[in-house]
Every structure is written in structure tokens, then in C-alpha cells.
Amino acid sequence: MKLRILIVITLLSFPIVLARAQNTGAPHLEKHGTATQLVVDGKPFLILGAELLNSSSSSLEYMRPVWPRLAAIPLNTVLTPLSWELIEPREGQFDFTLVDGLIQEARRNNLRLVFLWLASWKNGMSSYAPIRVKQDTQRFPRVVEKDGKPVEILSPLGKESMVADARAFAALMRHIREVDGSAHTVLMMQVENEVGVLGDSRDRSPAANHAFDGQVPRELMTYLEQHRETLLPEFRKVWEAAGAKSSGTWQEVFGSDAKADEIFMAWNYGRYIQSVAAAGKAEYPIPMYVNTWLGGWSDPHPSPYPSGGPLPEVMDLWKAAGTAIDMYAPDEYMPNLGEWCDRYRRGGNPVFIPETNGGAIGGANVFYAVGQYEAIGFSSFGIDTFVDLERDSLLDANDDLGKSYAVLAELAPIILQHEGRGEMAGFRLDKDHPRMSLELNGYRLDVTLDQIFETAAKTGFGLVISTGPDEFLGAGSGFRIAFSPTKPGPPHVGIGSIDEGTFVGGAWTPGRRLNGDENDQGRAWRFVSKRISIEKAVVYRYE
Ligand code: DGJ
């Protein structure tokens, strides 16, 4: 009963605090055409970020020499772990020294933060919960797996665990509002980390078995019926294959294989984490997201990935469970970034890549994620992996990522202005995928890997923005573009001019006029592979 009242009060106070936050310039999400943007202090913000290794931010001392090196990469945002065990050392007693220190150091280095709330779960396990939570398995029950063995994973059906986590998170968010409610160093919160049951397809604790054998909650069935047309097809197919029933047990409604287990877990993790996030938002409603350990139903079951995390197959369950989570985000270490972005941005979910490869791969992918998927942000994992402060290897190791971030930071105001209007595209090319085509503002652009000269590129990446009727702004490396018309009129397209340049204080400052070998004697718009350049092309049509 008490729990219900808490949830109802939290949910009711939501719109009021959200409106208050937006008026004070606090970070929030806003629609811009078809895109969603992160807006901070009244302006859209593109996160060019990186995540620290899991344990670095547990010590202010350890972090002190790291901060300036992060700023020099250059990043604008650091995804920073913050664990439940360190901020609530005794139940109800909070110590925010670490939070304050991290915020101060970030400010000193002109960096923003996304805090990762490592509490009930981190990579499926519950190792970041305070020891008193880990020990008290009566009050804070564990997941039980097939062999009947409790594992070090808190059961998402544990109501007391949820209340304890939500209380601590609410205290943290209250504190962040108090110390950062006007400076807005903290942009967003990640709630938990890569959740789901590892080692089995579902929790088999007594409470979980009882719920699984019982009826699918009415509330969930109503949501599914009301949203039937917009449910993601992977999930809808499973429901329909079992007869699209409007009531029944989990296996009656979703079938008798492990998919029903995963659906059940997704609903329960969703309920728990939506409640934790809602409690935090009632204190300070900045954007909140959940990250995902990728996998899916094409993988073998029981799965090698955690069962119940917000994979596309079960994302609808998370959405049915609440509205406090604003984004479902893929941790993307696979070679098919585009496919995952396509799957994750369905249903209006904005793209945010909280964890991914850095180095040259990240340096190329960030153009693709931002240009093609209008990502709110991009963050490479383990940015301080190579810390050797003597030799400054932190900077060397992140050179390629840093070069891309520097160019994107320069372009960010223009990118953000053109997002959501069909005026921008991004791409990544390599030997196996050496060409692609895109259409912008009445022109077809055939983009190919720049392999003609001795500077032949192994990879090409970039983005193009249509900035005027016959004008394009491009940035990237190792590709060339040929134009053809898509609208009625003269059949040929010529290159009028190409200028390289920079944006100084938002104003275009042209450098060399690129012609001759640099534009293949007027035949192509080229971006050589030796560097990342910004170029403006003016084209014309002729008979
Ligand atoms: C994904 C996790 O979310 C991170 O915290 C970290 O453990 C990495 N995997 C390690 O590669």
C-alpha cells in the first residue's frame, strides 16, 4: 500500500517538476523536426563523450590528473560511474563528497557529466549494491536459477530492493539539483547498467515463479491492446503467434519457450527501473536512459546476453512499465552500428550510444551516428584505459577519436540546426562497403571510398548537410562524391566551387579553393584520407 502511494505521488508530481526544470534551463529533451535533441541552458547540445573505466571515478585522488587529459582529447562530456555503496554507506545516511568532487573537477576542466547510477545492477550482477543489501537476502531477495541456486543478482521482483534503490537515487538527484541545478554540469543519468538475468532465461525465485504462473497484469495487457499497431514487430509477432490473447498466464499469452521468460523479465526489470527513475525525476527531472548489453532472439537460449534488458525484442515491455526512462540505448561494440541504430530509433526512441569503441573505429563511427542517425551523443568506453601519465599515452591512444570530436564540435551548431529536417546524412565506407548513395535537396549523391590516387583510403567516413538550394557542407575523410539530379530540370550537375574552411565562432571562414587534383578536375567532391576536412560545395545544373 505504502509503495503504491509512493509511486502515485511520484508520478503525479512529474509534469510539474519537469516544467519547472525546463524553465530554469535544466537539461531536457526536445523535439526538433523529426529529431530529438538534448537541450541545455536553452540550446541544443551534442554529447561528444567517453566513459571512464568502471572503478576510476571511485577516487577523486585517482581522477585528479586524469581530468585535464580528458579535456585535451577533446571531449565535452564524461560518462562517470557512481555507485550506491559509496554514496549511502549506512542506510539513510548519505555521503556526497565524491559527487561534489567529481562535479567540481568536471567544471574546472570545462567538461559535462553523465552519471551512471550503478546500484541494483551492473552487467547483470549486483556487485555495486551496499554490502548490507547483499547480505540481507530475506529483505533483498536474489534471483534463483534453474539449479535452485541463488546468484548475486537482486531479484527485480524484490519490492524492498526497489524502494531502497529508489530512495537512494532520489536522495542523489535531490543533491545534484541542489549543487548543480543552475550550472547544469550534469546532463543526464544512466539508471543501472546493462541489466538482465545472466545464466538463465528468467528468475525462478518463489516470488518470480508465483508471478510467472499467475496472470499477465491487466495494466500490461491494456497497454499492449492500446498500442498494438505500433508495437515493434519482433515482439508483436510473438504475441500474435500465441494467439494475441488479451489475458492468461505469461506462457498462455506469449508462448511456452524462453521468449516468454525474457518478456516476463523485461516487464519486471522495467517496472523496477522505471520506479527508481521516477523517484529520481521527482527530485530533479533531467533525461534518464538505460543502456543495453546487445544480443537477441537470434542468439541461442538460454542466452549469452542478460535476459530482460531493453533489447528491441522486448523494449515495448519497458515502455509499458513506465515513462520515466526517456531513452533506450545500445552499448555498441559490433561492426554493424547502422543496423543497431536503425533498430533502436524505432518508435520515437532517440539514438544515444553510451558505450562503444574509441580510437579510429570510434572516430569514424561518430560521424555515421551523428550524421545519419542524429544521435544525441556518442561515448567511447574506457577512455582512461591507456593512462600512462608520464608519456601521456592517454592522448596518443585517443588521437583519432579526438580529431573527429574536434571537427564535430566545430560543426555542432550547424548539425543541430539541420537535424530532424531530412537535410543531413552520414556514412562509413570500407573495402567491403565502398559505396553508398543518398538524396538531399533535389540531388543524388554517390559517395565512394577515395581510392583513385596514391593516398587510397582504407576507410571513409563523413557527413553531408544540405545548407542551401545548391549548396552542401561536408566533413570527413577518405571519400568522394558525384552529384546527379533527382528533380526535373537540366540533366547534368557540375561542380561550381569547392572551398575548404573552418567555423570560427560559428561563422564560415573559407581557406583554399579546391580544384584540379583536389576535385578530380571538376568531376568529384573529394575528402582526402590524410585528415578530416570541412568543405563547402556549390553545384549547378546544365543541359
Ligand atoms: C560493458 C559494461 O557496461 C561496462 O561497464 C564494462 O564492463 C564493459 N562492458 C567492459 O567491456
Side-chain angles (χ1 to χ4, degrees):
M1 188 63 196
K2 255 200 202 147
L3 179 67
R4 281 231 178 107
I5 295 171
L6 180 80
I7 292 172
V8 170
I9 293 173
T10 309
L11 293 179
L12 288 179
S13 52
F14 223 29
I16 305 165
V17 275
L18 185 66
R20 202 195 310 142
Q22 291 182 1
N23 293 338
T24 58
H28 63 275
L29 299 178
E30 234 176 78
K31 272 281 184 209
H32 187 261
T34 54
T36 301
Q37 298 185 326
L38 171 66
V39 176
V40 187
D41 295 322
K43 288 199 225 103
F45 188 99
L46 176 63
I47 294 181
L48 298 168
E51 183 170 325
L52 294 169
L53 290 166
N54 295 167
S55 308
S56 310
S57 53
S58 64
S59 160
L60 293 176
E61 200 56 45
Y62 176 89
M63 280 300 296
R64 197 152 294 127
V66 175
W67 287 110
R69 279 150 174 101
L70 297 178
I73 283 176
L75 316 170
N76 63 22
T77 305
V78 183
L79 275 71
T80 305
L82 202 54
S83 69
W84 184 7
E85 59 176 345
L86 292 180
I87 71 146
E88 195 187 6
R90 272 176 298 282
E91 185 160 8
Q93 288 181 22
F94 293 94
D95 180 352
F96 293 117
T97 316
L98 186 59
V99 181
D100 295 345
L102 293 169
I103 292 177
Q104 273 158 23
E105 284 294 337
R107 282 182 193 157
R108 193 166 298 146
N109 290 282
N110 204 20
L111 288 164
R112 307 282 183 141
L113 296 174
V114 171
F115 277 129
L116 317 183
W117 175 237
L118 307 184
S120 293
W121 300 287
K122 150 83 173 76
N123 293 34
M125 307 300 289
S126 298
S127 61
Y128 282 81
I131 187 166
R132 62 174 184 281
V133 172
K134 293 183 196 173
Q135 269 172 338
D136 191 347
T137 56
Q138 285 301 309
R139 186 173 160 206
F140 306 112
R142 299 291 182 82
V143 163
V144 175
E145 298 191 344
K146 263 184 187 137
D147 53 6
K149 210 175 92 207
V151 285
E152 262 214 66
I153 302 175
L154 289 172
S155 168
L157 286 98
K159 296 226 165 23
E160 289 250 16
S161 313
M162 192 267 274
V163 170
D165 187 334
R167 241 183 235 140
F169 188 59
L172 170 65
M173 294 313 295
R174 188 179 321 129
H175 183 77
I176 293 176
R177 175 176 40 82
E178 282 162 9
V179 298
D180 194 49
S182 49
H184 309 139
T185 300
V186 182
L187 300 178
M188 313 201 289
M189 301 298 290
Q190 178 184 299
V191 190
E192 318 292 345
N193 188 85
E194 292 193 350
V195 306
V197 173
L198 280 166
D200 200 347
S201 51
R202 77 167 172 88
D203 181 2
R204 293 167 204 274
S205 62
N209 283 342
H210 180 72
F212 188 69
D213 293 337
Q215 297 287 298
V216 174
R218 187 66 256 149
E219 184 188 348
L220 171 55
M221 289 310 333
T222 305
Y223 179 95
L224 297 184
E225 278 160 2
Q226 284 172 354
H227 294 82
R228 185 162 174 169
E229 294 313 313
T230 53
L231 294 174
L232 294 184
E234 300 90 315
F235 168 68
R236 186 172 146 179
K237 224 158 81 190
V238 170
W239 181 31
E240 289 180 346
K245 298 190 186 75
S246 56
S247 65
T249 66
W250 290 85
Q251 288 197 325
E252 283 165 357
V253 177
F254 300 114
S256 53
D257 65 11
K259 293 190 187 88
D261 292 357
E262 193 167 337
I263 291 167
F264 171 76
M265 291 319 300
W267 167 253
N268 283 293
Y269 276 108
R271 290 288 284 173
Y272 188 120
I273 292 172
Q274 293 280 8
S275 301
V276 171
K281 277 197 167 174
E283 297 295 341
Y284 187 38
I286 58 177
M288 297 194 183
Y289 71 93
V290 181
N291 66 333
T292 321
W293 176 331
L294 296 182
W297 287 343
S298 51
D299 289 329
H301 267 84
S303 55
Y305 62 90
S307 176
L311 282 161
E313 286 88 342
V314 293
M315 200 189 287
D316 283 309
L317 282 300
W318 281 74
K319 290 187 175 173
T323 55
I325 295 297
D326 301 291
M327 291 184 284
Y328 298 95
D331 287 348
E332 223 301 87
Y333 294 98
M334 307 201 197
N336 51 349
L337 176 80
E339 282 169 39
W340 285 107
C341 288
D342 277 327
R343 292 186 74 195
Y344 266 87
R345 77 164 162 181
R346 291 173 300 170
N349 184 49
V351 171
F352 176 59
I353 311 290
E355 280 187 42
T356 189
N357 299 302
I361 299 176
N365 279 345
V366 64
F367 275 86
Y368 192 28
V370 170
Q372 187 65 11
Y373 296 100
E374 299 174 329
I376 276 177
F378 187 91
S379 158
S380 93
F381 177 76
I383 196 68
D384 51 331
T385 301
F386 303 101
V387 176
D388 174 349
L389 296 177
E390 293 298 307
R391 292 189 295 117
D392 234 340
S393 65
L394 181 59
L395 294 182
D396 299 346
N398 293 294
D399 202 29
D400 287 319
L401 182 70
K403 283 181 185 154
S404 289
Y405 277 10
V407 169
L408 289 170
E410 201 177 314
L411 289 177
I414 295 113
I415 290 172
L416 293 162
Q417 181 196 333
H418 288 273
E419 271 184 357
R421 303 198 163 130
E423 294 169 349
M424 181 167 67
F427 41 84
R428 198 191 59 180
L429 306 169
D430 56 33
K431 289 228 171 76
D432 299 328
H433 309 92
R435 61 179 55 85
M436 58 87 65
S437 298
L438 53 103
E439 266 188 47
L440 288 175
N441 209 4
Y443 289 94
R444 175 185 153 111
L445 283 68
D446 289 305
V447 190
T448 48
L449 205 53
D450 189 33
Q451 289 181 311
I452 291 188
F453 294 93
E454 68 286 354
T455 53
K458 288 202 178 65
T459 55
F461 58 86
L463 58 80
V464 178
I465 303 173
S466 157
T467 44
D470 303 300
E471 187 192 273
F472 297 90
L473 179 71
S477 177
F479 63 92
R480 58 177 53 224
I481 293 180
F483 293 89
S484 49
T486 58
K487 287 198 179 143
H492 304 294
V493 181
I495 290 178
S497 63
I498 297 174
D499 291 309
E500 68 178 358
T502 49
F503 283 90
V504 182
W508 173 245
T509 312
R512 289 181 302 163
R513 168 66 48 103
L514 300 178
N515 210 333
D517 291 343
E518 278 68 55
N519 73 357
D520 204 2
Q521 326 306 327
R523 286 188 287 253
W525 186 16
R526 281 190 73 205
F527 288 76
V528 294
S529 62
K530 294 286 176 207
R531 61 174 186 279
I532 303 172
S533 42
I534 305 177
E535 301 178 14
K536 211 171 235 193
V538 175
V539 296
Y540 66 94
R541 295 179 62 174
Y542 64 97
E543 295 290 346

